[in-house]
Amino acid sequence: MQTFEHEYDVVVVGGGTAGPMAAVKAKQANPALRVLLLEKANVKRSGAISMGMDGLNNAVIPGHATPEQYVREITIANDGIVNQKTVMAYAQGSFAMIEELDRWGVRFEKDETGDYAVRKVHHMGSYVLPMPEGHDIKKVLYRQLKRARVEITNRVVATRLLTAEDGRIAGVMGFDCRTADFHVIRARSVVLSCGAAGRLGLPASGYLFGTYENPTNAGDGYAMAYHAGAELSGLECFQINPLIKDYNGPACAYVTGPFGGYTTNAEGQRFIECDYWSGQMMWEFHRELQGGKGPVFLKLDHLAEETISAIETILHTNERPSRGRFHAGRGTDYRERMVEMHISEIGLCSGHSASGVWVDEHARTTVPGLHAAGDMACVPHNYMLGAFVYGKLAGESSARFSAEHGLAAVDAGQVEDERRRVWAPLLREDGLPPNQVEYKLRRMVNDYLQPPKVTRKMEIGLERFEAIREDLDRLKAREPHELMRALEVHAIRDCAEMAARASLYRTESRWGLYHARVDFPDRDDAQWFCHAQLMKDGQGRMVSFKRAIEPYLVPIADADRNAYRQLRIATPIEAPTEALPA
């Protein structure tokens, strides 16, 4: 095993959605920059959109919505806990990004006049833009990377960030998951775009990789940002989604909703008026299960044949194309049976919730020279389009930072400590298999952190997570690929502790099921109308603190503040018994 040293101006870690956009935009901002895109898999098929995407969940398109309307909707959906500057930066960049993606070759649904065919799914506004042929999106991104002459290194797993004596970023460290060679990459600026912490909770199936999120997104970015001293925010606001029972994918009521599909209880009654994913929507889902009216289903069997065929074309060819085969194996035909749904495992993800690395409206973290974008950057409900917009912002800001700063000196002690930590599982003669330790850890996450949250259970969970530190020192990797799994367990453990400490810190309930505390059941705006932050202090301790919410750019009327708490239909609506016309 060897050690290699490299120098770049901008290093982007993560080649899924935001990362390629950040790398392209950094290079476009200054073609003279040496820009590296670092990916632990292969950029051609990596990240949450590796198999494409079926639509944009948050398209802000003139004639359908304004940036101000979108900021208002997301502020209300997230119970007021937002930095509106970051949401506004997304909203103002949304349409221009759609137009650019369109020019690049990404295909969006359009009507007969050539206008974008926007649909309504959200509680208040219309923001959903279908992508019936969205399976090629990674190919489109890869072509742009090659056109911009971005350097790409696949199969290198980033593990820690290098920081300088003055606190700014100095580079990235990692290893090759084919050879175990150690890489020290000096950089003037770094962009983290490593996706969600998707392997936090254990799915009901028991499969380690049977998660809602892309299972390669193990929380690496969250852990790297934390150990570099960056602030993280909203980690108590878990990601929990409605899934197809026994399948690691969403039922996609938000896709089928515009076609006439919707969520019902076991009695065939529609109990929520909006299928847009929110903590409150998941709370109503949970209530239905606990109240004896479960299971919960996605109802499509009342729709016309043409409509169902259109839905199948979208859902069975994009993002998770195995969905159709799964339904066939279960004997589920949308025309004849409703689709049974379930609640996902917990994760950390700002793209679908609000838990991530704190960034400003330029994608800058609190560590100088470090940027974050995509699902791991704390811009609530940002989704894929938000990842693209913040990838652009991060790339452009990192290019500016690189032009103004030289390479920081590298601390040889940091390098040696990290090289020793990374290679340790390979050098041990015997020890614990990474998959066994991961299973144990994630079962404990389910046992002690799954909402509704209980104080004593979370306290015990912290004790268990602390004890697993000893297991980390006994991990044994037989070869470099398994070494990647061993280092991912380190990141998952860090994320579990962060989730527990953040949840204990906010002593109220907020965001529906995402942060429902049994012993603090009420929302307490007097004490907790603020961001709850977490970081690693100078003594290496994990500390929590409050950050004030900045004055809103878009005022929210008192009458609207609880709009998302009114999703439940007072008198459940009986499902139609005859097919609706197409």
Side-chain angles (χ1 to χ4, degrees):
M1 298 184 293
Q2 303 180 66
T3 297
F4 296 93
E5 296 185 5
H6 318 268
E7 289 186 4
Y8 288 91
D9 297 305
V10 177
V11 175
V12 180
V13 183
T17 308
M21 185 63 70
V24 167
K25 292 302 176 181
K27 194 70 173 175
Q28 288 179 348
N30 184 351
L33 290 177
R34 297 163 298 169
V35 178
L36 173 67
L37 180 58
L38 196 67
E39 167 59 44
K40 68 181 181 182
N42 189 299
V43 170
K44 289 183 178 181
R45 282 293 188 191
S46 61
I49 62 169
S50 60
M51 297 302 291
M53 186 54 61
D54 49 31
L56 302 178
N57 292 352
N58 54 341
V60 184
I61 296 178
H64 297 277
T66 66
E68 290 75 15
Q69 288 171 330
Y70 180 79
V71 170
R72 176 173 171 267
E73 174 113 32
I74 297 305
T75 301
I76 295 169
N78 211 53
D79 275 357
I81 309 301
V82 299
N83 176 0
Q84 282 197 348
K85 287 183 179 178
T86 62
V87 182
M88 181 63 81
Y90 160 72
Q92 291 175 336
S94 171
F95 185 57
M97 180 57 65
I98 293 170
E99 290 185 308
E100 182 163 32
L101 292 169
D102 200 337
R103 290 193 298 272
W104 286 0
V106 177
R107 297 181 180 180
F108 301 106
E109 185 175 320
K110 297 179 181 179
D111 62 23
E112 62 275 6
T113 68
D115 290 336
Y116 294 113
V118 180
R119 310 294 179 86
K120 186 180 188 308
V121 175
H122 292 63
H123 187 46
M124 300 163 72
S126 298
Y127 307 102
V128 172
L129 178 57
M131 297 167 59
E133 299 179 63
H135 47 271
D136 287 336
I137 193 164
K138 286 293 287 188
K139 295 178 182 178
V140 171
L141 290 175
Y142 191 74
R143 286 196 295 268
Q144 293 300 319
L145 287 167
K146 302 303 287 185
R147 185 171 298 166
R149 298 186 182 277
V150 171
E151 291 190 46
I152 299 171
T153 296
N154 293 311
R155 308 297 178 187
V156 169
V157 183
T159 58
R160 285 286 188 269
L161 299 172
L162 284 161
T163 52
E165 189 174 351
D166 62 3
R168 68 185 171 102
I169 209 70
V172 182
M173 294 176 286
F175 68 96
D176 189 308
C177 64
R178 296 287 175 83
T179 66
D181 290 333
F182 190 74
H183 291 265
V184 180
I185 308 170
R186 299 179 66 193
R188 301 169 191 261
S189 183
V190 172
V191 178
L192 288 178
S193 51
C194 305
R199 284 203 342 256
L200 184 56
L202 189 69
S205 67
Y207 295 119
L208 293 179
F209 286 73
T211 55
Y212 164 77
E213 285 291 345
N214 183 329
T216 64
N217 297 341
D220 319 41
Y222 286 75
M224 282 189 282
Y226 168 75
H227 287 290
E231 285 184 30
L232 295 95
S233 185
L235 300 183
E236 70 280 16
C237 184
F238 294 171
Q239 173 185 239
I240 307 171
N241 296 322
L243 298 185
I244 298 171
K245 181 73 166 63
D246 298 325
Y247 180 76
N248 63 329
C252 287
Y254 63 89
V255 173
T256 63
F259 291 94
Y262 56 84
T263 304
T264 77
N265 59 27
E267 298 173 6
Q269 299 171 327
R270 185 172 188 175
F271 59 95
I272 50 175
E273 65 177 42
C274 167
D275 287 314
Y276 172 65
W277 292 358
S278 66
Q280 193 63 38
M281 181 264 199
M282 292 309 303
W283 176 250
E284 300 302 344
F285 193 123
H286 172 77
R287 283 181 61 189
E288 214 68 6
L289 295 179
Q290 297 301 309
K293 293 188 177 181
V296 169
F297 295 89
L298 172 63
K299 181 170 176 56
L300 303 173
D301 56 1
H302 61 291
L303 301 177
E305 171 61 32
E306 300 92 319
T307 304
I308 291 177
S309 294
I311 290 171
E312 288 176 331
T313 298
I314 296 172
L315 294 184
H316 296 180
T317 60
N318 292 297
E319 187 180 2
R320 289 174 169 86
S322 61
R323 183 195 315 262
R325 295 195 300 274
F326 174 81
H327 286 321
R330 283 287 172 93
T332 301
D333 186 324
Y334 295 158
R335 299 156 186 79
E336 300 172 358
R337 296 178 61 182
M338 296 191 296
V339 180
E340 185 181 355
M341 298 165 67
H342 195 58
I343 292 177
S344 76
E345 70 283 351
I346 65 172
L348 302 178
C349 176
S350 194
H352 294 88
S353 180
S355 44
V357 178
W358 180 262
V359 295
D360 68 8
E361 63 272 24
H362 303 287
R364 297 177 299 202
T365 74
T366 55
V367 175
L370 178 63
H371 301 74
D375 281 348
M376 64 168 289
C378 189
V379 184
H381 302 259
N382 224 14
Y383 298 103
M384 180 179 72
L385 187 56
F388 285 137
V389 171
Y390 264 83
K392 175 179 184 291
L393 295 172
E396 293 171 345
S397 180
S398 63
R400 290 192 296 269
F401 189 92
S402 296
E404 298 166 358
H405 297 81
L407 288 168
V410 171
D411 181 343
Q414 289 184 36
V415 173
E416 183 53 38
D417 288 346
E418 183 60 6
R419 181 165 45 208
R420 186 183 303 114
R421 184 181 78 95
V422 166
W423 280 349
L426 276 178
L427 299 176
R428 291 189 184 101
E429 292 188 4
D430 55 49
L432 302 173
N435 62 337
Q436 291 185 14
V437 177
E438 180 178 342
Y439 184 85
K440 171 183 174 181
L441 169 60
R442 293 171 61 193
R443 275 297 305 270
M444 290 178 178
V445 168
N446 283 16
D447 289 345
Y448 298 111
L449 300 188
Q450 185 77 27
K453 303 173 184 178
V454 178
T455 297
R456 186 59 188 134
K457 288 175 67 175
M458 291 189 289
E459 291 172 344
I460 295 172
L462 274 177
E463 295 173 7
R464 300 289 186 265
F465 304 151
E466 187 61 31
I468 284 182
R469 285 187 191 274
E470 298 180 8
D471 292 342
L472 299 183
D473 292 334
R474 299 171 58 201
L475 287 170
K476 168 61 182 174
R478 295 166 295 182
E479 33 78 20
H481 187 84
E482 193 171 52
L483 179 62
M484 174 174 63
R485 298 294 175 233
L487 271 294
E488 286 174 343
V489 176
H490 283 245
I492 295 168
R493 198 222 68 86
D494 285 341
C495 289
E497 181 180 354
M498 287 190 277
R501 292 194 185 279
S503 295
L504 284 166
Y505 182 65
R506 186 180 281 275
T507 52
E508 63 157 0
S509 288
R510 192 177 289 267
W511 307 297
L513 187 61
Y514 297 166
H515 184 63
R517 292 196 61 174
V518 173
D519 30 9
F520 295 96
D522 299 321
R523 190 169 77 184
D524 182 1
D525 283 340
Q527 296 296 323
W528 290 105
F529 191 74
C530 62
H531 303 285
Q533 310 292 91
L534 182 147
M535 67 179 293
K536 185 177 184 179
D537 71 7
Q539 287 72 51
R541 298 171 302 185
M542 190 176 288
V543 295
S544 295
F545 57 97
K546 296 180 180 180
R547 180 189 273 264
I549 293 176
E550 294 188 19
Y552 285 164
L553 302 175
V554 179
I556 306 298
D558 289 342
D560 293 334
R561 290 181 182 271
N562 292 318
Y564 267 76
R565 293 191 164 208
Q566 299 166 12
L567 296 182
R568 175 167 283 275
I569 296 172
T571 303
I573 300 172
E574 297 291 340
T577 56
E578 296 183 2
L580 298 178

